[in-house]
Amino acid sequence: GATSPTSSVTESEAAVTCFDLWEETVAFADRGLKEEIAGIHVFYHQETFAAVYTTNLLMRVCDFMVTKPSELAFYPVPKLMLKRLGGHEAWGAIRTAELGDGTIECDTMERILQMLDMMTGEQEILASMNSHILKAHEAGVYNGAYEVIELARRKKDAK
């Protein structure tokens, strides 16, 4: 069922949620560009555009993302991969592990908590993921959307 817009954003809490408040999500991401924000923050939007674009805004200000291995596996941000929902998502987890910009698929709570402890407690892991992201960026790995637009542009010009 539908949820009403709610938020429990307070500076003193370790975990913060934001549900269906687009303006609050944008303000949070803008604030994260200007200052350090601590804690765990969960965002949820029922509207598809807001849900997808929230990731685009927040990946610029997060230390790492916790996600299932969907298309988010291809974002240039360190990732803790949760258990996949569909069989086709296995390839996202495999690809992010190959690139070194995220974890393997953590399919049990024990593995998730172990990896979360390592990612928050050992600087080497995130440093390594970020190093792999920079190398992949230099190689053009994250340029898929640009390549599709260029291909469409060339195809249109050829007509």
Side-chain angles (χ1 to χ4, degrees):
T3 60
S4 61
T6 60
S7 175
S8 59
V9 175
T10 64
E11 295 302 316
S12 63
E13 294 183 65
V16 178
T17 58
C18 174
F19 295 103
D20 280 328
L21 294 174
W22 176 246
E23 294 78 17
E24 188 174 289
T25 300
V26 172
F28 179 89
D30 288 343
R31 196 176 97 208
L33 291 171
K34 298 173 190 145
E35 64 187 75
E36 185 173 324
I37 301 173
I40 297 170
H41 304 272
V42 178
F43 292 81
Y44 171 83
H45 293 280
Q46 286 189 13
E47 202 274 318
T48 302
F49 172 82
V52 171
Y53 204 73
T54 292
T55 304
N56 294 344
L57 291 175
L58 296 177
M59 75 175 191
R60 301 175 305 152
V61 299
C62 72
D63 295 320
F64 63 90
M65 176 177 15
V66 177
T67 184
K68 66 182 182 68
S70 62
E71 62 279 351
L72 298 178
F74 302 94
Y75 275 62
V77 62
K79 295 166 280 292
L80 189 161
M81 289 294 177
L82 302 176
K83 184 178 180 178
R84 64 181 175 250
L85 296 179
H88 66 287
E89 292 179 333
W91 296 109
I94 291 167
R95 182 64 174 155
T96 199
E98 286 175 343
L99 286 175
D101 66 358
T103 69
I104 60 168
E105 180 181 359
C106 297
D107 58 354
T108 66
M109 186 57 74
E110 180 182 357
R111 285 190 181 138
I112 292 167
L113 293 174
Q114 179 184 34
M115 192 59 72
L116 188 58
D117 281 345
M118 291 187 336
M119 291 177 80
T120 58
E122 300 176 21
Q123 293 181 351
E124 297 83 21
I125 292 173
L126 287 179
S128 175
M129 287 180 185
N130 281 308
S131 175
H132 283 92
I133 287 168
L134 292 174
K135 288 176 186 172
H137 172 68
E138 288 174 20
V141 169
Y142 303 113
N143 293 349
Y146 296 109
E147 298 296 328
V148 168
I149 297 299
E150 184 57 34
L151 180 63
R153 196 172 283 143
R154 283 194 306 249
K155 193 170 186 175
K156 179 183 175 201
D157 290 345
K159 287 184 177 183

